[in-house]
Amino acid sequence: MLNAWTGQPYAQRLDPELARLLERQKADGPKADRYAVPFPESRRLLEEERKRTHLNRVPMHRIEDEEVTVNGRLVHMRWYHASQGDARRTPIVYLHGGGWCVGSNVTHDTVLRHLARATQAPVCGVEYSLAPEYPFPAASEDVSAAIDHVLRQRMGSAARAPGQVILAGDSAGANLALVEAMRRRDQGQVSNIVALLLYYGCYAPCRDDGSFAAYGDGRFGLSRQAQERYLGAYLQAAPPHDWQVFPLGGNLRSLPPAYILSAELDPLYDDSIELHQALLESGVPSHLSVAKAMPHGFLNQANDLPAAAGEIDRSAAFVNELVAQGGG
């Protein structure tokens, strides 16, 4: 089976350095399969798994927590500040991955810290409501309210670029980030978003060919079975082809410039490739980076894997250049 993007067979070899790192972590971790247990247990296991990668984490100048209330739900937000003077930089709102069902600022602490260090901007991790307890569209509602909260803060400050944010996310978080940008465009508010950082996101339904066929067995982590379980818990009664669920089926014109990262050994690899091509065809500036020999979620290893830290650095350089051009 050939990769439609490269014309070559889909890669099948994991990065050797990452493979050794994962083996060490596996030996020290629990034996339960977090993809197979009930979601509350899966959330606990994922936090335990990720905490084992925090030993060499990037130091921050300070970390602050706050909350907003959305339809009676408390949405936790955590600010990462790498330097004292970052208040004059355009803030980044980050939406964690986890299939809309698991994940938190704890599980994505590594990515949040590295992004704050690389951009020297304040980074806000948003813990949106998780399915199945809070199915679609609760997460999108939380994301929208959190961004509005950040924008109100900036409008009342002396920031050089008041009322603007960079919107970022990975996996399900990248999905939510793109959907929110499309929603704000339709409401005439897209100018509030300077850029999109979209790391190995889900933008279309599962399919039977391409990267799902190549990697859907789960040998590199995420499987088709796990992805379908996430989607089932998230969607419940939602329209299965709504662009607010699968944004590749919607109008992609007039969106902010996007940096798209795809992991080569990921069932969702093709989603990122197709999104990049669709954005370019829609007249939206898009930069694609493909992380060779890397699986879904690899950025969470950035404390101990230079290749992962380097990918975050490259995405940070993209937004830093955009912000410099705009004076923010």
Side-chain angles (χ1 to χ4, degrees):
M1 180 172 51
L2 297 182
N3 181 321
W5 174 254
T6 65
Q8 302 296 318
Y10 278 93
Q12 297 294 334
R13 186 170 181 266
L14 187 66
D15 175 84
E17 186 175 3
L18 177 57
R20 290 190 292 270
L21 182 61
L22 293 175
E23 281 300 316
R24 291 198 300 270
Q25 293 171 359
K26 183 178 180 181
D28 296 335
K31 305 308 176 186
D33 179 4
R34 63 175 172 83
Y35 288 113
V37 298
F39 286 120
E41 177 67 3
S42 179
R43 292 166 193 157
R44 185 188 68 80
L45 289 173
L46 182 59
E47 288 204 354
E48 287 185 6
E49 175 184 315
R50 294 287 168 78
K51 284 178 180 178
R52 292 194 298 276
T53 70
H54 292 175
L55 294 178
N56 300 314
R57 61 187 181 183
V58 174
M60 292 286 102
H61 175 68
R62 71 183 187 279
I63 295 175
E64 301 170 316
D65 290 305
E66 62 179 334
E67 295 177 335
V68 295
T69 301
V70 185
N71 296 331
R73 303 185 298 269
L74 279 180
V75 178
H76 299 272
M77 302 164 66
R78 176 164 292 176
W79 286 94
Y80 288 75
H81 300 274
S83 63
Q84 186 173 4
D86 68 355
R88 294 182 62 83
R89 306 279 293 186
T90 302
I92 299 172
V93 175
Y94 193 90
L95 312 176
H96 66 78
W100 307 274
C101 297
V102 302
S104 65
N105 289 326
V106 172
T107 64
H108 284 67
D109 178 84
T110 294
V111 179
L112 291 160
R113 287 172 180 264
H114 278 264
L115 192 56
R117 171 197 56 78
T119 60
Q120 289 297 295
V123 176
C124 179
V126 178
E127 292 189 342
Y128 52 85
S129 298
L130 299 175
E133 295 91 337
Y134 299 99
F136 174 89
S140 288
E141 293 170 350
D142 292 356
V143 166
S144 182
I147 293 171
D148 285 341
H149 177 74
V150 173
L151 289 171
R152 284 194 296 270
Q153 288 182 325
R154 296 294 285 184
M155 288 174 182
S157 74
R160 290 169 58 196
Q164 290 187 314
V165 298
I166 294 158
L167 191 50
D170 69 281
S171 193
N175 169 288
L176 292 169
L178 179 57
V179 166
E180 180 63 14
M182 295 166 71
R183 190 191 68 80
R184 287 182 182 265
R185 176 210 53 206
D186 291 347
Q187 295 186 353
Q189 301 174 347
V190 75
S191 61
N192 293 135
I193 303 175
V194 176
L196 296 168
L197 294 181
L198 305 175
Y199 304 144
Y200 37 75
C202 170
Y203 313 115
C206 300
R207 62 198 80 185
D208 295 325
D209 58 2
S211 54
F212 265 99
Y215 310 120
D217 59 4
R219 79 189 77 170
F220 299 118
L222 180 66
S223 67
R224 175 176 181 145
Q225 182 179 11
Q227 182 67 6
E228 289 179 336
R229 181 180 182 230
Y230 286 144
L231 283 167
Y234 175 58
L235 296 183
Q236 297 188 23
H241 299 295
D242 191 324
W243 66 264
Q244 295 179 87
V245 176
F246 298 120
L248 257 176
N251 174 14
L252 297 173
R253 295 189 179 277
S254 302
L255 292 174
Y259 185 99
I260 299 174
L261 172 64
S262 181
E264 190 178 44
L265 305 180
D266 184 358
L268 300 178
Y269 168 91
D270 287 347
D271 282 36
S272 290
I273 304 302
E274 291 180 15
L275 176 61
H276 171 65
Q277 293 174 319
L279 287 173
L280 292 179
E281 291 170 1
S282 298
V284 176
S286 178
H287 176 86
L288 174 68
S289 178
V290 176
K292 300 294 185 181
M294 293 294 171
H296 189 81
F298 77 96
L299 291 181
N300 295 292
Q301 302 290 340
N303 289 333
D304 300 296
L305 186 67
E311 289 291 351
I312 296 175
D313 288 348
R314 280 185 282 277
S315 67
F318 173 85
V319 294
N320 284 345
E321 183 177 355
L322 282 176
V323 169
Q325 291 171 353

